[in-house]
Amino acid sequence: MASQVTAVRGPMIWFRGDPFLTSREDAFVHEGDGLLICENGRITASGDYTALRHRLPEGVVPAHYPDQMISAGFIDTHTHYVQTGIIAAFGSQLIDWLNHYTFVEEQRFSDAGYARRVASAFCDELLRNGTTTSLTFCAVYPQSVDALFEEASRRNMRIAAGKVLMDRNAPEGLLDTAQSGHDESKALLERWHGRGRNLYAITPRFAPTSTPAQLEAAGALWREHPEALMHTHVSENTGEISWVRSLFPERRGYLDVYDHYGLLGRRAVLAHGVHLTRSERDRCAETGTAVSHCPTSNLFLGSGLFHVHDAKDSRRPMHVGLGTDIGAGTSFSLLATMNEAYKVAELSNYPLDSVKAFFLATLGGAQAMGIEDEVGSLEAGHEADFVVLDPGATPLLARRTSRAESVEELLFVLAVMGDDRAVRAAYVAGALAHDRDAPSV
Ligand code: GUN
Ligand code: ZN
């Protein structure tokens, strides 16, 4: 079969390293007139257009985006596709919000047809926002997992997902058992992990909705399949933390519950971590466990302020990615999420610069999920998932970005003012998957 070559040209940025840990120069790449050559879904060359154009095969004309900014596709390290329908639910903090809205909506996913419709809308929304990889919760029903992976497969997207495990403290219709949860997860993992670009994540919802037996079974499954991800929530809300203490009095704290059952390590992604203690952060760093920083959700549910500079302290850095946490989060946009992350950091007097924010939304997220060799960067060898951002997307954005004096300033303005309107195009495995300006049919 002839190889499939595509190319794009324009200003571009990506990361080779972590700007929280190394100098900006070592971590960050900016090409004012860049060229990206993709073959069979992978980037085979990236760099300066003039230096690389001789590598373009005969007849391949790059798509040219001279006034845009090309970046690795955004990576959303924590979301719930099954909560797409309940964004912006009024009036409660975490536990009441779960009971009033979430547990009601998630029961609808026993209907495979409903799950398929939402999975399709969810993937559309990811791409409209320039998000090419997402680590997402499904519902407790295996058919809700099949629906998402089938949709992601159709679009060739790199999605990580898993069936929620819950065997207590939720409505009867949403409960599995330690045994059935284990067996269904195992079957789904063996069906989907590594099939195409799909990745399976073992997904206990959070400590309060799993018995010790269920957490034990989740740990056993992960030991049997260490190639899978592990995805849960931790230390989001102070009431939740007290509840965990009363349910697991023999453990040192919330994180220790997961530690005890073998649920920490590389490829474990814990959402929120707002109230993790210093020793818990140390333990995350030691084990390679990542936290997904979800600022729109933490503000919406009044959960608290995550201190990104503590998490990324270069003396013992943790892996951190950004998460939208739809439906407690209020936007699918990783640009909007960077905006809120900036404001949250400002509240503790830490100016989160745009280079670090874009790192968290791309390579940092990939590292959190343990897939940094596959996605998150435009460095040659990576899969060709990227986004084309439009600094002129709205009159005000155009007015403001026209005054930007550096690439850092341009990225900062895009992060603070941008949303789905600023996503001109998204490419998945080298193919155009979203074109904002294409006439709709
Ligand atoms: N903790 C347990 N379940 C959830 C959920 O669905 N959303 C959020 N934000 N936190 C949780
Ligand atoms: Zn969540």
Side-chain angles (χ1 to χ4, degrees), residues 52-104:
L52 284 182
R53 69 177 159 198
H54 71 279
R55 304 255 313 256
L56 281 170
E58 180 101 9
V60 174
V61 180
H64 195 190
Y65 297 103
D67 303 316
Q68 317 281 297
M69 179 56 72
I70 300 164
S71 159
F74 295 135
I75 296 183
D76 184 348
T77 58
H78 177 66
T79 188
H80 301 249
Y81 101 81
V82 291
Q83 296 175 16
T84 301
I86 56 153
I87 302 171
F90 174 77
S92 329
Q93 291 208 349
L94 177 63
I95 304 301
D96 288 341
W97 175 85
L98 285 172
N99 288 320
H100 290 158
Y101 302 109
T102 317
F103 290 161
V104 177

Side-chain angles (χ1 to χ4, degrees), residues 333-352:
S333 170
L334 266 295
L335 293 171
T337 306
M338 287 186 234
N339 176 24
E340 299 308 298
Y342 174 79
K343 295 173 191 168
V344 167
E346 273 300 302
L347 284 168
S348 49
N349 223 353
Y350 174 75
L352 177 66

